[in-house]
Amino acid sequence: MKIKPYIPNDTSLAYSVGVTLDRFIKKKQDDFPFASGELSQLLRDIALAAKIVNRETNRAGLANIGGAFGHTNVQGEEQQKLDVIANIRFTRALTKGGEVCAIVSEEDDEVIDLQNSSGKYVVAIDPLDGSSNIDVNISIGTIFSIYRRVTPVGSPIQLEDIMQPGNQQVAAGYVLYGSSTMLVYTTGCGVNGFTYEQSLGEFFLSHPDMKAPLSGNIYSINEGVSNTFSQGLSDYITYCKSKNYSARYIGSLVADFHRNLLKGGIYIYPETKKNPKGKLRLLYEANALAFIAEQAGADATDGIQRILDIQPTSLHQRTPLYIGSKSMVDEALSFISKKSSVQENH
Ligand code: P6P
């Protein structure tokens, strides 16, 4: 019998479609000798829900699932229909996957206890951030953090399983439903981005080992409320203008964060009169993006301390957020701390 050697690089007839998310997760799992596969399964469950939410955001205008749901969430924000749908999709996928014991969601007032005490993991999620942009076809996103529960598997979940600082995350990521749909995540060994190929229903590795530029010339902030900025922050914005930086603010955190991660830049949501503790939520927005930022060589702070070191005290607590290229975050902090120290001395 003649055996013909396989020629792996024969792309003359059929180009390689690349590395699927599933294959990447499996390979990375093999890199951890003691990995048991539960986290891998959890990541697959999130990817499945992302594919479904992607389909629904793409057809929102056609399927009468755009617009307001008619309720307000615990944040006092008007829920969009897709907020509710996305929340159902991710909660259902994580429940059926069997790896999760509890979920903290922007869309639910209380912790969702999945009654699965054998689940090792806790997920904090913003199922659809920026959803007010859905009806005007601007990019929106999902943001998620994954923690290992700290109480014994098999026992009822406790608050300490939920209120963990961001430096305890085992994984974090976001899905960007934009001109293309991407899933970007980290498990603490760098950041990798996957682009969704609709025709095959698969995420393919498109941005391996993502690294943020150390600096940049893009600043993202809502200057419409600049009259309530601290003097230090106002001085920093003036500095950005003096350097001819570009102002880019989409009003969708995941979209602004993703662009700044690739091109270099800083996103700032400070304390404002309307949001005296900042607008963004620590558990399911700031922590996940801060983990990704630091894994990509960038920075994330609340203006005083590292986001990942903040000990949560309440489920939906908010935090000021300065996140992006390291040197730009340092620059911003230098203006803020200078002014605050001057004010303290008066
Ligand atoms: P503002 C969306 O509601 C969000 O949470 C982020 O995605 C976005 O960056 C920010 O709020 C926009 O808030 O107050 O500038 O409209």
Side-chain angles (χ1 to χ4, degrees):
M1 177 178 71
K2 191 177 177 187
I3 296 175
K4 174 189 161 201
Y6 170 62
I7 305 169
N9 296 323
D10 177 6
T11 55
S12 57
L13 293 176
Y15 64 88
S16 164
V17 292
V19 179
T20 64
L21 175 63
D22 274 6
R23 195 177 295 162
F24 184 88
I25 291 172
K26 175 69 175 68
K27 183 189 177 313
K28 287 299 178 185
Q29 176 188 318
D30 294 344
D31 293 348
F32 288 91
F34 305 108
S36 53
E38 284 116 332
L39 180 59
S40 297
Q41 182 54 49
L42 206 178
L43 290 167
R44 288 190 193 95
D45 297 336
I46 287 175
L48 172 61
K51 292 176 184 178
I52 298 168
V53 172
N54 173 66
R55 182 191 62 184
E56 283 160 345
T57 49
N58 286 348
R59 53 196 283 270
L62 300 172
N64 186 29
I65 51 177
F69 179 60
H71 289 188
T72 56
N73 61 19
V74 66
Q75 330 287 341
E77 292 165 350
E78 186 177 43
Q79 283 185 308
Q80 304 296 305
K81 289 177 190 168
L82 271 172
D83 281 324
V84 177
I85 291 170
N87 196 39
I88 293 168
R89 292 297 185 189
F90 278 98
T91 303
R92 189 179 295 165
L94 292 173
T95 302
K96 290 188 173 180
E99 308 304 344
V100 176
C101 57
I103 297 173
V104 178
S105 169
E106 176 180 281
E107 303 306 328
D108 288 282
D109 305 2
E110 307 297 331
V111 174
I112 307 167
D113 182 341
L114 298 187
Q115 302 296 309
N116 173 32
S117 60
S118 62
K120 279 186 185 173
Y121 296 100
V122 171
V123 173
I125 189 166
D126 183 353
L128 210 56
D129 178 72
S131 52
S132 57
N133 293 308
I134 294 169
D135 292 350
V136 293
N137 209 12
I138 287 174
S139 301
I140 51 182
T142 297
I143 310 171
F144 63 90
S145 286
I146 302 173
Y147 296 85
R148 199 172 283 104
R149 67 177 295 179
V150 294
T151 55
V153 172
S155 65
I157 56 166
Q158 304 294 329
L159 200 55
E160 63 204 272
D161 292 315
I162 310 299
M163 307 301 267
Q164 300 186 53
N167 56 36
Q168 295 304 301
Q169 293 173 91
V170 293
Y174 60 84
V175 184
L176 177 58
Y177 310 97
S179 51
S180 67
T181 293
M182 281 193 70
L183 188 152
V184 177
Y185 81 95
T186 182
T187 57
C189 302
V191 179
N192 291 282
F194 299 80
T195 298
Y196 187 52
E197 170 51 73
Q198 307 263 7
S199 64
L200 297 178
E202 287 283 4
F203 282 102
F204 286 92
L205 181 63
S206 54
H207 296 68
D209 195 22
M210 295 170 74
K211 292 296 179 199
L214 281 179
S215 189
N217 59 13
I218 295 172
Y219 69 101
S220 307
I221 189 168
N222 182 349
E223 291 193 65
V225 292
S226 59
N227 58 341
T228 68
F229 291 169
S230 68
Q231 187 56 53
L233 178 55
S234 298
D235 291 349
Y236 175 63
I237 300 304
T238 302
Y239 168 78
C240 290
K241 291 173 177 172
S242 74
K243 302 281 282 183
N244 296 319
Y245 289 174
S246 297
R248 293 286 183 275
Y249 190 70
I250 300 171
S252 188
L253 169 59
V254 173
D256 278 317
F257 175 80
H258 182 73
R259 181 207 51 242
N260 292 349
L261 190 67
L262 293 180
K263 295 192 166 192
I266 185 171
Y267 172 99
I268 300 172
Y269 206 108
E271 305 89 330
T272 63
K273 189 175 180 183
K274 182 183 173 187
N275 293 292
K277 293 188 183 303
K279 177 179 182 184
L280 300 166
R281 278 54 57 127
L282 177 64
L283 261 66
Y284 40 78
E285 290 171 332
N287 271 338
L289 299 185
F291 190 16
I292 288 175
E294 291 198 4
Q295 284 291 311
D299 257 349
T301 170
D302 65 355
I304 295 170
Q305 64 178 316
R306 185 176 171 239
I307 289 288
L308 295 182
D309 290 339
I310 298 174
Q311 174 57 50
T313 51
S314 69
L315 217 45
H316 300 286
Q317 77 184 65
R318 300 175 189 266
T319 176
L321 181 63
Y322 299 74
I323 189 167
S325 296
K326 207 171 188 60
S327 70
M328 295 186 81
V329 171
D330 290 345
E331 270 174 355
L333 288 180
S334 68
F335 281 86
I336 293 163
S337 53
K338 193 187 309 174
K339 272 302 172 190
S340 58
S341 56
V342 166
Q343 283 155 353
E344 278 164 15
N345 295 336
H346 280 178

